[in-house]
Amino acid sequence: MAGWANISQLKEKIAQGSAEEVTASYLERIKKSRTNAYTTVWEGAVEKAREIDEQGHNGPLAGIPIAIKDNISTRGISTTCSSKILQGYVPPYDAHIVERLKDAGAIILGKTNMDEFAMGTSTESSCYGPTLNPWDMERVPGGSSGGSAAVVAAGEAPLSVGSDTGGSVRCPAAFCGVVGLKPTYGTISRYGLISYANSLEQIGPLATCVSDIAALMDVIGGHDARDSTSVKTESVYKDALVDDVSGLRIGVPAEYFGAGIDPAVENSVWDAIQLFEELGASWEQVSLPHTSYALAAYYIIAMSEASSNLARFDGTRYGYRKEGENWHVMASRTRAEGFGAEVKRRILLGTYALSAGYHDKYYLKALKVRTLVKQDFEQAFREFDCLMTPTMPTPAFKLREKVEDPLALYLADVNTVPINLAGVPSISLPCGFTDGLPIGLQIIGKHFDEATVLRAAYSFEQNTEHHTRRPAEVA
Amino acid sequence: MVYENPDGVKIGLEIHVQLNKLNTKLFCGCSTDYHNAEPNTHVCPVCLGLPGSLPVLNKRAVEFAMKVGLALNCNIVEQTQFHRKNYYYPDLPKGFQTTQYDYPIASRGKVVIDGEDGERIIRITRAHMEEDPGKLLHMGSIEKSKGTLINYNRSGMALIEIVTEPDMRSPKEARRFLDKLRSILEYLDVFNGDLEGAMRVDANISVMGGDRVEVKNISSHKGVEKAALYEIMRQKNFVRRGGKVVLETRHFDEQRGVTLSMRSKEEEHDYRYFPEPDLVPMRVADRVPEVIKTLPELPDAKRERFTSQYGMADMHAKALTSDIKVANFYEHVALKVDPGAAAVWIADVLKGELNYRDISVDAFKVEDMAEIIELVTGNKITERSGVEIIRTILDNGGTPAAVVKEKGLIKVEDDIVTKAVTEALAENPEALQDYLGGKEKSLNFLVGQVMKKTAGRSDARTTREMLLERISELPPK
Amino acid sequence: MITKEEVEHVGWLARIEIHESEAQDYAEKLNAVLDYFGQLDEVDTENVPPTYHVADIVNVFREDVVRPSMPQEEVLANTGKKQEGNFLAPRIM
């Protein structure tokens, strides 16, 4: 049984058996799953794997299955952002990263569940219903890439891809006990990623271990001429996998251990920091004074951009359509019925924040605060190589616990959104458990210094066992 | 003569110009060559606004826009960034238009036109880049239509929107401005005004210090003139009856020649501009010197050069330089024949014949024009025959030689005319006597007789001169 | 404070039909969030420039070279509402 195998283990299995067997075993497991983590399972996966067996493929991910978040465009495979408004939409083109994955020989297993249009922290706002946390089926997997994290945690895919606008890769990675990276803004082409808040978001990989994250980054990272914000980098992420943190200067921002933090989370993170110290790193407290304003600034910017990004869903060219006596009425009804409650709230708030009379008070103000948040990081990184914090202030919460209170849900993102405002890279990896629920450690790096983040994460993983624990419920 | 502008007319224009000489659209690689294509065949995920697609700016479009800005004597911006203009309309596949907002690529320029009373400076407020929406076809009238067909082939075409100050004082000045603008754009080789929808104009019109009224989406220069004439009349009448003109948007019904109010909930806008996160800022000011080097000689400069280099009248220079194709045609002809004669023949004759037929100078060959001018100046054919050859070629094709032969237009040799003069004088002694006795009209009779004998192949003026010469040589009786 | 009427106006701007019965609930939920956003008023942003882009990139261009467009049937494949190669929408107003 493939299940939780990593890339090198899978390569052995493929060499001894076949890619077809590996893919089939995952599909078998998906069939029995109760997590509701997939929105679409691709029926062509087995045949594609057989093709690779027959024709051979020397790509770095030849025959390795992968799951893709439902907001990333896949040619010929339904892509809906877990929204009713995109029901029936089958893209005619592949996202840049999907092209890269196919070229590398990866087998797409299917599309993963998410909060509708990536707007959420629990994967409960999906039109397909919530994804369940493999560690406790009464709890949320985090979000918005809840499906992408849950499939890796449940052994329903060895690797997956999510997107992170304000923590959407790292939050579910933390809640599901897997590794998730949000790279520096501009590192991975967004071509084909259906925008929620385009100045903030990045595609990010999820996996059971840091080395698989690096391997995936080597495939999907790098410049793409179709994304104007894509940066020319020549990183080889695998080179960062060195078990050595001696001399590493760690900053610990006090603001990230604020009110509402679960004591078990706090303890696990401090244990982790202590371990780094034992391994030769040093740490010091640091202050990022504008952290408490980051959340409001983030939501204003994200909602403003979203209100424009989601304007194209009007029923005219694709997706859901509710007729009306004229085009404007049709668009208004289509959008009223096609979008869920939270998406509509965010569009309305974003529209309001950009509208005449409020633009400066909300939108422009938020962008100025963004500058201050970014400067906090720049200041901190003059003294430190990386920062360490809890990814989420608590472990996974119960299903429906926060559905009715949007603001409470927003507050859960307090430790992840500042990173997106600044555009810096950050990883979440398992650093402990409380009552059987995983806890995530967040390591934040300088712009384009994924190498340090990966090296620290890899070293931690080499010296701990947390990442090897598997949820009993799905074993 | 000073133009008084009795109604206090002020006209400002917003002109949307398609940079249709680009190979591709503004933000994607789709071809701009869609005018005769099937609907929705020149689109891709980007210009169709498919979820997840991203724009990438066409470098040459920026160069074109800079050229236009410089040709309109504008300043080019140091740094700029595209914005999103958010509004809902079915021709807008993303639900916003990508455009420039607070920093247009070019601003504060001017264009000189021939105004009501001599040269007039029209100030250019700004020129900014943006994308064209798709095209809607209403099945029936816009209000009662059964449905709307949408073709996105035009979606994403690069536009430059040129905004003037309200410096035009009459519909005629507005039209002259548009003619001049088109001329400049075609000189720059960024624009083909013959293509459908290549230039669309919104006109802001006010009278007697009242609020301006915006007439939207007029598709021809003539239409702008007509819409402005109608709107001035409407506003004057309205004020005369005690009304007060208020800021509003109107639509021009080209067929009926009237403007109609289009106030409705759908027209209320709050565009919520903000910088397009998917496009990065551009800093192009340092490229200005390089772009200036690529600017061609523009109409005003060419007009001056034509008068000084070819010694032609300013009137002819103006006529020859308003259209780059005519100017180039002229210069090619002037290499082969007398430039002075060429100026007269092309400005006064050929251009008129082309305008009358509404065809381009491309329809006429440089060699044919040169040959016709040679024939006339060499005294082989009459001027009237020259005009006839031009008309025949334009209507039926052929070459000057063939037309001359077919119609027997070669001027009769002088000795034949001389012979006819001698004969006519011998056969009509009474007429000669009458003339010598002071009856001027009798000379006309004699001219007629000579022309009859030569079957019209001699011209009246030459015949008259020859007759007078011969009469003066006659021995006194 | 966003009023019921403003909620309806914003709903129209965003082309989201809001029934009268929903407007009050929207107003309450939106106001809770707007109250929270109000905390930014505390931050001194005098002389602080806005950050529109985190990456410091300028001048990204594409050459003016034609790339293939999509075939018409693929363009129209995601809608049932089409006519003679066009998308079909209700009348505009």
Side-chain angles (χ1 to χ4, degrees):
Chain A
M1 215 287 304
W4 292 285
N6 62 28
I7 293 174
S8 51
Q9 290 163 337
L10 286 171
K11 281 189 170 167
E12 263 174 53
K13 282 180 196 290
I14 292 168
Q16 287 157 10
S18 70
E20 187 181 342
E21 281 166 33
V22 166
T23 292
S25 76
Y26 279 102
L27 292 172
E28 199 54 39
R29 212 170 150 78
I30 294 166
K31 216 179 275 172
K32 291 187 200 136
S33 165
R34 291 184 292 135
T35 56
N36 192 34
Y38 280 93
T39 59
T40 303
V41 178
W42 186 45
E43 68 275 13
V46 168
E47 197 184 315
K48 187 76 208 165
R50 193 181 305 137
E51 203 177 281
I52 282 181
D53 287 330
E54 285 166 7
Q55 296 169 9
H57 196 296
N58 50 19
L61 297 178
I64 309 288
I66 189 163
I68 313 263
K69 192 175 179 180
D70 201 32
N71 62 350
I72 295 172
S73 190
T74 42
R75 184 181 167 90
I77 307 175
S78 164
T79 301
T80 70
C81 295
S82 289
S83 179
K84 182 175 168 186
I85 211 158
L86 273 171
Q87 287 317 292
Y89 173 63
V90 179
Y93 78 102
D94 274 331
H96 172 78
I97 65 136
V98 173
E99 281 179 1
R100 287 274 184 97
L101 287 168
K102 285 180 174 176
D103 288 349
I107 309 290
I108 294 169
L109 290 172
K111 308 301 285 285
T112 56
N113 204 8
M114 55 188 278
D115 279 297
E116 184 181 6
F117 280 100
M119 296 178 182
T121 308
S122 64
T123 314
E124 291 171 284
S125 66
S126 163
C127 72
Y128 306 104
T131 291
L132 309 182
N133 191 319
W135 293 89
D136 178 348
M137 299 278 183
E138 299 289 304
R139 288 177 189 268
V140 303
S144 68
S145 312
S148 291
V151 295
V152 174
E156 295 174 28
L159 305 169
S160 70
V161 177
S163 67
D164 189 314
T165 311
S168 283
V169 162
R170 290 159 290 154
C171 159
F175 280 7
C176 292
V178 300
V179 190
L181 174 71
K182 184 210 86 77
T184 308
Y185 188 83
T187 301
I188 299 179
S189 168
R190 290 182 294 114
Y191 190 79
L193 168 65
I194 301 177
S195 298
Y196 155 29
N198 27 6
S199 85
L200 297 161
E201 62 210 6
Q202 273 291 286
I203 288 172
L206 296 105
T208 55
C209 60
V210 176
S211 30
D212 282 3
I213 293 285
L216 201 42
M217 281 302 291
D218 279 328
V219 171
I220 63 177
H223 182 251
D224 172 23
R226 292 171 299 185
D227 175 359
S228 305
T229 64
S230 160
V231 176
K232 293 182 173 103
T233 53
E234 307 248 324
S235 304
V236 178
Y237 296 93
K238 278 213 145 175
D239 292 351
L241 302 175
V242 181
D243 179 10
D244 179 7
V245 291
S246 52
L248 186 76
R249 298 168 305 165
I250 302 165
V252 183
E255 292 84 354
Y256 286 69
F257 297 78
I261 190 168
D262 184 295
V265 171
E266 193 170 4
N267 286 338
S268 288
V269 171
W270 278 114
D271 288 349
I273 293 165
Q274 207 170 345
L275 176 64
F276 276 103
E277 196 174 20
E278 286 160 21
L279 295 172
S282 64
W283 69 268
E284 243 179 275
Q285 282 217 327
V286 61
S287 175
L288 304 175
H290 296 95
T291 301
S292 65
Y293 299 108
L295 201 64
Y298 164 81
Y299 273 102
I300 292 170
I301 295 167
M303 290 173 181
S304 298
E305 292 180 5
S307 72
S308 175
N309 289 330
L310 272 61
R312 69 189 65 197
F313 304 104
D314 58 23
T316 307
R317 293 158 299 275
Y318 42 78
Y320 182 75
R321 168 150 162 174
K322 178 77 178 176
E323 295 293 346
E325 61 261 32
N326 68 40
W327 185 82
H328 294 276
V329 173
M330 177 198 92
S332 303
R333 291 203 182 131
T334 297
R335 293 164 62 78
E337 294 188 6
F339 290 134
E342 179 59 19
V343 172
K344 284 193 275 188
R345 275 195 292 273
R346 293 197 192 191
I347 292 173
L348 292 173
L349 282 164
T351 304
Y352 185 71
L354 285 171
S355 67
Y358 298 101
H359 176 280
D360 288 7
K361 175 175 167 60
Y362 293 113
Y363 178 67
L364 190 62
K365 183 79 182 183
L367 289 167
K368 289 177 174 178
V369 172
R370 180 179 196 177
T371 304
L372 296 171
V373 170
K374 192 175 165 226
Q375 286 170 353
D376 281 355
F377 280 101
E378 283 160 5
Q379 189 70 35
F381 283 126
R382 275 186 210 121
E383 288 175 66
F384 300 103
D385 301 312
C386 64
L387 308 175
M388 291 191 191
T389 81
T391 308
M392 299 301 289
T394 67
F397 45 85
K398 286 243 161 87
L399 285 161
R400 290 175 298 279
E401 192 179 312
K402 297 185 180 185
V403 168
E404 281 309 309
D405 186 356
L407 198 55
L409 204 54
Y410 300 171
L411 292 171
D413 299 340
V414 63
N415 284 3
T416 50
V417 298
I419 284 80
N420 299 74
L421 286 174
V424 293
S426 145
I427 200 167
S428 178
L429 70 162
C431 70
F433 286 82
T434 171
D435 294 332
L437 296 172
I439 294 166
L441 166 71
Q442 174 168 247
I443 307 175
I444 308 159
K446 301 173 195 172
H447 280 120
F448 302 108
D449 191 16
E450 274 77 358
T452 299
V453 171
L454 288 171
R455 175 161 62 95
Y458 179 76
S459 303
F460 184 77
E461 204 178 73
Q462 292 302 302
N463 292 280
T464 53
E465 300 287 318
H466 310 293
H467 66 287
T468 60
R469 262 178 79 167
R470 302 296 169 219
E473 288 212 38
V474 295
Chain B
M1 192 194 67
V2 176
Y3 176 66
E4 299 283 354
N5 193 11
D7 300 321
V9 171
K10 283 185 183 172
I11 302 174
L13 301 175
E14 291 170 23
I15 306 112
H16 296 85
V17 175
Q18 259 191 359
L19 299 175
N20 53 19
K21 288 267 182 130
L22 292 168
N23 298 324
T24 66
K25 295 183 179 181
L26 186 53
F27 296 120
C28 67
C30 284
S31 163
T32 56
D33 184 19
Y34 65 83
H35 286 86
N36 297 311
E38 289 292 305
N40 295 304
T41 51
H42 284 55
V43 293
C44 71
V46 177
C47 56
L48 198 56
L50 287 186
S53 64
L54 298 171
V56 185
L57 182 56
N58 183 338
K59 188 178 186 180
R60 202 151 149 261
V62 178
E63 281 164 17
F64 277 22
M66 289 173 77
K67 278 189 184 184
V68 173
L70 292 166
L72 302 180
N73 304 294
C74 290
N75 297 327
I76 300 298
V77 72
E78 279 291 321
Q79 174 168 328
T80 182
Q81 160 79 50
F82 279 93
H83 277 61
R84 291 182 178 187
K85 179 181 181 179
N86 294 286
Y87 66 98
Y88 286 86
Y89 219 66
D91 59 7
L92 215 52
K94 294 176 290 179
F96 59 82
Q97 183 188 29
T98 310
T99 180
Q100 290 174 334
Y101 178 53
D102 44 2
Y103 293 95
I105 186 145
S107 58
R108 281 174 294 142
K110 63 173 202 281
V111 170
V112 181
I113 63 163
D114 290 316
E116 293 282 356
D117 50 359
E119 272 193 0
R120 177 141 184 94
I121 291 172
I122 308 300
R123 290 168 298 160
I124 305 295
T125 317
R126 56 185 281 158
H128 70 253
M129 305 175 71
E130 63 185 25
E131 59 181 341
D132 212 347
K135 196 157 166 51
L136 303 180
L137 186 70
H138 308 289
M139 299 156 77
S141 76
I142 189 161
E143 299 91 356
K144 294 189 180 131
S145 147
K146 276 191 289 206
T148 309
L149 299 178
I150 317 168
N151 173 4
Y152 291 104
N153 281 348
R154 192 177 76 181
S155 167
M157 284 289 287
L159 293 180
I160 183 153
E161 180 178 333
I162 298 159
V163 182
T164 78
E165 294 291 316
D167 287 347
M168 286 147 275
R169 299 166 299 172
S170 69
K172 194 160 94 186
E173 286 192 345
R175 181 161 179 192
R176 293 234 174 108
F177 174 81
L178 290 170
D179 290 344
K180 183 68 175 276
L181 179 64
R182 173 170 175 167
S183 159
I184 293 170
L185 293 167
E186 293 195 331
Y187 266 64
L188 295 172
D189 202 22
V190 300
F191 170 71
N192 176 0
D194 295 333
L195 294 175
E196 190 241 325
M199 197 190 264
R200 280 114 57 198
V201 183
D202 302 341
N204 289 295
I205 301 154
S206 69
V207 298
M208 296 175 279
D211 269 345
R212 67 190 162 81
V213 168
E214 185 177 26
V215 184
K216 279 201 119 47
N217 226 346
I218 317 171
S219 58
S220 71
H221 299 193
K222 222 180 267 175
V224 171
E225 194 175 11
K226 274 166 69 185
L229 279 169
Y230 176 86
E231 194 49 34
I232 290 164
M233 187 189 68
R234 189 190 68 82
Q235 291 183 27
K236 270 167 62 186
N237 285 337
F238 189 57
V239 172
R240 197 171 294 140
R241 292 199 307 272
K244 189 174 178 300
V245 177
V246 292
L247 217 61
E248 68 162 328
T249 300
R250 297 177 73 88
H251 158 79
F252 181 54
D253 184 328
E254 207 124 23
Q255 261 126 38
R256 291 196 281 158
V258 299
T259 67
L260 304 164
S261 185
M262 44 194 269
R263 228 171 292 164
S264 78
K265 197 182 180 192
E266 285 80 4
E267 299 298 328
E268 281 169 30
H269 291 308
D270 177 348
Y271 292 125
R272 291 163 282 134
Y273 284 98
F274 74 99
E276 165 60 276
D278 290 331
L279 290 166
V280 300
M282 57 178 186
R283 247 174 244 155
V284 289
D286 56 336
R287 295 204 46 220
V288 168
E290 188 187 321
V291 175
I292 286 177
K293 274 188 221 153
T294 69
L295 286 182
E297 181 185 42
L298 292 169
D300 289 344
K302 203 180 279 286
R303 181 169 159 183
E304 258 175 53
R305 178 169 66 79
F306 275 22
T307 50
S308 59
Q309 181 178 340
Y310 300 113
M312 67 177 74
D314 181 57
M315 180 190 70
H316 285 148
K318 188 187 155 200
L320 291 175
T321 55
S322 69
D323 178 346
I324 179 73
K325 286 182 190 161
V326 174
N328 290 339
F329 182 85
Y330 167 76
E331 294 214 88
H332 283 113
V333 175
L335 284 174
K336 297 173 186 281
V337 299
D338 171 47
V344 174
W345 272 93
I346 296 169
D348 290 349
V349 182
L350 179 65
K351 246 195 113 181
E353 297 297 332
L354 293 169
N355 286 345
Y356 176 70
R357 289 168 180 76
D358 197 21
I359 51 177
S360 148
V361 72
D362 296 341
F364 214 79
K365 286 199 181 97
V366 167
E367 296 71 32
D368 290 353
M369 190 71 244
E371 195 177 335
I372 293 165
I373 294 168
E374 286 271 274
L375 286 168
V376 176
T377 54
N379 227 1
K380 296 280 190 335
I381 60 169
T382 64
E383 287 184 4
R384 232 184 67 203
S385 300
V387 175
E388 196 178 340
I389 296 170
I390 291 173
R391 288 180 179 158
T392 309
I393 290 177
L394 286 173
D395 292 337
N396 308 322
T399 63
V403 177
V404 164
K405 195 174 163 204
E406 186 192 321
K407 304 210 166 192
L409 296 177
I410 280 292
K411 249 195 210 171
V412 182
E413 296 296 324
D414 279 359
D415 55 337
I416 299 177
V417 184
T418 312
K419 201 174 142 225
V421 165
T422 312
E423 281 174 20
L425 288 173
E427 287 164 15
N428 300 286
E430 303 85 3
L432 178 63
Q433 285 310 315
D434 287 352
Y435 173 73
L436 290 171
K439 270 193 177 173
E440 286 282 333
K441 270 190 181 168
S442 300
L443 185 64
N444 292 344
F445 171 77
L446 290 167
V447 171
Q449 292 302 306
V450 175
M451 289 180 75
K452 208 166 163 188
K453 287 176 182 293
T454 61
R457 281 173 291 171
S458 58
D459 60 67
R461 204 177 52 181
T462 323
T463 308
R464 191 182 174 90
E465 278 164 10
M466 286 176 73
L467 268 167
L468 287 172
E469 202 184 336
R470 184 67 62 81
I471 292 169
S472 72
E473 286 165 4
L474 286 176
K477 289 246 158 115
Chain C
M1 277 285 283
I2 187 167
T3 62
K4 250 182 87 174
E5 289 68 37
E6 278 181 298
V7 167
E8 282 167 11
H9 173 67
V10 172
W12 169 252
L13 276 182
R15 293 299 183 278
I16 292 176
E17 191 175 70
I18 293 175
H19 292 290
E20 243 195 295
S21 57
E22 303 169 294
Q24 189 56 41
D25 181 53
Y26 268 116
E28 280 165 25
K29 288 215 164 84
L30 302 192
N31 274 320
V33 179
L34 288 172
D35 278 352
Y36 181 76
F37 290 170
Q39 64 168 268
L40 293 190
D41 293 343
E42 297 164 16
V43 189
D44 180 6
T45 51
E46 188 91 25
N47 300 322
V48 178
T51 295
Y52 294 110
H53 292 92
V54 277
D56 197 15
I57 318 173
V58 292
N59 291 349
V60 175
F61 300 116
R62 167 179 72 74
E63 296 302 321
D64 186 25
V65 177
V66 174
R67 310 261 310 140
S69 297
M70 285 156 57
Q72 193 191 60
E73 55 279 18
E74 210 166 72
V75 174
L76 297 169
N78 275 293
T79 181
K81 307 285 180 178
K82 49 196 156 188
Q83 188 170 317
E84 290 153 5
N86 294 286
F87 290 92
L88 179 61
R91 66 191 161 85
I92 307 298
M93 281 173 226

